[in-house]
Amino acid sequence: MQPAQIAWIVHERQPLPPSEQALGPGSEAPGLLAAGGELSLARLTEAYGRGVFPWYGPGQPVLWWAPDPRMVLPVADFKLSRSLRKTLQKFVRTPGCGLRIDSAFDRVIAACAAMPREGQDGTWIVPEMMAAYVAWHRAGAVHSFETWIDGQLVGGLYGVSLGRMFFGESMFSLRTDASKIALAGLVAFCRVHGIALVDCQQNTRHLASLGARETSRADFERHVALTRGAPGVTDWTYHRSHWAALGLSLADGGHTTAA
């Protein structure tokens, strides 16, 4: 039985409602669970630990979502096309090209906020959202994967890490395939560190082409419950050896890890 209306969060000690209360596929906002509250670190930790995320636009209250189905990328199923493999192999071997983690987080999230999105007016990464995730990054739970070429930040993504679960948030690209390189770096990092699944939230053709697929909300929440309490990654450094997890050759081609 779907609720006639969503729950409102009126104080910070009020827990989010069960995800089963989210609006269903026949509603105007499928997956919408609740509205209101603040983007405190405690609230964000509670939400992501249950598979819920905030997503809203300028002038709206905080909106909390638990969509069914959920788009996820099993890192074992990442599709490395021939063209992307060629791009990555060239990137790995080219001097001045490198992938970094957390060296320019503020710039990454700002670039994601400014990136035009097909079918969207404006951005959902509103100033209070940006401030909350920057604070969460400072607390050690949010990380950026960054594509650098000749000292320039040309693409990247950021997401939330809880235990052995990574929740992808947004990406940007200023050069062809720069965001794909960052995503490939994330996948390689996850394979090395035993993170089996990357949350992609919503279904897009781009993500599906890279191996992402839909799963039921119940299955997704079970996976989150199993992985959120596992020991988290302690070394958020991207090592060149991580590329081998994608089957890339690390033969010396003059590559330097400094971007």
Side-chain angles (χ1 to χ4, degrees):
M1 192 74 169
Q2 289 294 331
Q5 58 185 9
I6 61 170
W8 276 86
I9 307 300
V10 296
H11 59 78
E12 281 303 290
R13 287 179 293 179
Q14 178 184 347
L16 292 167
S19 61
E20 292 80 5
Q21 294 184 17
L23 298 182
S27 69
E28 294 184 359
L32 181 58
L33 177 64
E38 300 178 3
L39 295 174
S40 66
L41 298 192
R43 178 67 77 189
L44 287 168
T45 302
E46 175 207 0
Y48 279 80
R50 292 177 46 193
V52 177
F53 62 90
W55 183 40
Y56 62 102
Q60 294 180 325
V62 179
L63 301 177
W64 302 95
W65 300 81
D68 190 11
R70 186 77 164 235
M71 195 70 167
V72 297
L73 174 59
V75 299
D77 296 340
F78 181 64
K79 292 182 180 178
L80 198 57
S81 66
R82 181 179 300 178
S83 61
L84 181 55
R85 179 179 292 277
K86 184 177 179 180
T87 295
L88 289 170
Q89 197 67 77
K90 180 180 179 181
F91 182 82
V92 169
R93 294 179 174 179
T94 300
C97 293
L99 194 135
R100 300 178 182 177
I101 299 176
D102 293 341
S103 73
F105 180 85
D106 293 28
R107 290 173 61 189
V108 170
I109 193 172
C112 288
M115 199 73 184
R117 310 287 176 183
E118 185 178 351
Q120 294 184 24
D121 294 325
T123 179
W124 58 270
I125 309 176
V126 295
E128 57 268 31
M129 178 85 78
M130 192 180 300
Y133 284 78
V134 167
W136 213 9
H137 165 69
R138 302 282 190 267
V142 184
H143 301 279
S144 58
F145 285 70
E146 309 153 3
T147 304
W148 291 81
I149 298 178
D150 295 331
Q152 301 294 316
L153 175 65
V154 298
L157 60 87
Y158 74 97
V160 176
S161 173
L162 292 180
R164 281 297 195 271
M165 180 69 200
F166 194 89
F167 304 82
E169 287 296 311
S170 186
M171 62 177 61
F172 80 99
S173 186
L174 301 180
R175 292 197 192 179
T176 302
D177 291 334
S179 61
K180 287 184 180 180
I181 292 171
L183 179 60
L186 168 63
V187 168
F189 184 88
C190 287
R191 288 182 179 181
V192 169
H193 289 281
I195 299 171
L197 203 66
V198 174
D199 175 36
C200 302
Q201 297 180 351
Q202 304 285 352
N203 191 339
T204 70
R205 285 181 296 176
H206 171 66
L207 290 170
S209 71
L210 295 171
R213 58 175 174 79
E214 290 185 335
T215 190
S216 70
R217 181 171 59 207
D219 284 348
F220 175 73
E221 289 176 351
R222 277 192 287 270
H223 183 82
V224 171
L226 287 172
T227 57
R228 67 190 177 198
V233 176
T234 56
D235 182 10
W236 287 90
T237 305
Y238 198 84
H239 301 283
R240 185 168 181 255
S241 61
H242 288 157
W243 290 117
L246 297 179
L248 299 179
S249 170
L250 301 180
D252 185 14
H255 175 88
T256 59
T257 54

